[in-house]
Amino acid sequence: MCTAVRVLLVEDDDGVADALVDSLGAHGHQPTRVRRGEDALLAHRDADLALLDLGLPDLDGLEVLRKLRAVSTLPVIVLTARGDERSVVRGLRLGADDYLVKPVRLSELLARIEAVTRRAAAARPEPQVVVVGDIEVDLGARRVVVGGAEVELTAKEFAVLAALARRAGTAVSRQQLMDEVWGDAYVAVSRSLDVHLTQLRAKLRRPELLTTIRGFGYRLGA
């Protein structure tokens, strides 16, 4: 049996969803089903992979994919009855990792899930310790050292710093930070992010290493 995968199933058809949930569970995976696109945007952080239908009751699935790609690299397999060339091309260009047209054989779906998750895991090896200037962020131990001295951070302050450290030297949007730390890029937690970044800057005392990118977000490091 392949490694268990937390699968977010975005499907509004109860019959299809029930069958997939039963089949995925029977093969060792951990499926969670949601009916609406907005629900998928809230739940994706707890998944290893999403199976995304395009015919959803609130949002077109391609719009869900576009919004998801703005904040996440979660592997997405489009699983839909929409098999026209235009939809397939748009789905892949918007960032789908695979595109399957219903009906699909269970054996093929399981193989695609395994292949996509394997590629995703290989593409994102995560360092345990990130060093930027004299700031050392130990992601595994949740420990921060600045200039040789350990700095005490709250859980949320560390989560913000860790999100930046994982992308050190790269601009990170406010949406990405809010999504990763608070779980929803579309809820008004902007002020809370500002407060935590102010506290983080005060504790790190390295303003040149934690910079604001006007109109976009933040960057840790040069």
Side-chain angles (χ1 to χ4, degrees):
M1 183 180 293
C2 63
T3 302
V5 176
R6 296 174 301 167
V7 179
L8 176 63
L9 174 60
V10 191
E11 171 63 66
D12 68 325
D13 186 302
D14 290 338
V16 172
D18 290 346
L20 283 172
V21 167
D22 289 345
S23 297
L24 291 170
H27 284 79
H29 297 306
Q30 301 165 15
T32 298
R33 184 266 182 117
V34 297
R35 292 177 173 82
R36 302 166 66 252
E38 289 291 350
D39 295 333
L41 295 173
L42 293 173
H44 71 86
R45 290 180 70 248
D46 296 321
D48 300 313
L49 176 141
L51 293 178
L52 176 64
D53 186 22
L54 298 185
L56 302 174
D58 59 333
L59 294 172
D60 185 273
L62 292 174
E63 179 64 10
V64 175
L65 178 59
R66 186 189 67 78
K67 288 186 174 184
L68 192 58
R69 277 293 167 262
V71 296
S72 174
T73 58
L74 177 74
V76 176
I77 298 177
V78 172
L79 181 60
T80 181
R82 201 183 298 176
D84 60 282
E85 183 179 357
R86 183 171 180 272
S87 294
V88 175
V89 170
R90 284 193 65 201
L92 294 173
R93 285 181 173 171
L94 284 171
D97 296 88
D98 208 339
Y99 194 111
L100 297 175
V101 178
K102 300 174 184 174
V104 62
R105 292 186 299 272
L106 178 61
S107 58
E108 180 181 358
L109 176 60
L110 293 171
R112 298 292 185 105
I113 289 173
E114 184 178 356
V116 167
T117 52
R118 185 172 59 245
R119 288 198 303 266
R124 57 169 186 266
E126 182 177 283
Q128 287 301 300
V129 179
V130 178
V131 178
V132 178
D134 64 349
I135 299 175
E136 183 178 305
V137 184
D138 189 325
L139 298 171
R142 299 181 65 84
R143 183 170 177 264
V144 179
V145 174
V146 181
E150 188 165 354
V151 175
E152 294 293 330
L153 300 180
T154 67
K156 275 288 190 286
E157 288 166 357
F158 183 85
V160 172
L161 180 61
L164 293 168
R166 290 187 183 98
R167 307 169 180 83
T170 302
V172 182
S173 73
R174 292 177 65 87
Q175 280 189 328
Q176 284 177 300
L177 282 175
M178 289 187 290
D179 186 73
E180 187 163 325
V181 176
W182 280 272
D184 186 2
Y186 304 101
V187 170
V189 293
S190 180
R191 177 58 184 159
S192 185
L193 174 60
D194 292 335
V195 170
H196 282 86
L197 277 161
T198 298
Q199 295 170 340
L200 191 56
R201 282 195 171 102
K203 291 182 178 182
L204 295 178
R205 302 188 307 279
R206 299 292 188 274
E208 74 281 3
L209 292 179
L210 181 50
T211 57
T212 299
I213 301 172
R214 188 176 180 86
F216 182 77
Y218 306 91
R219 181 178 61 236
L220 179 66

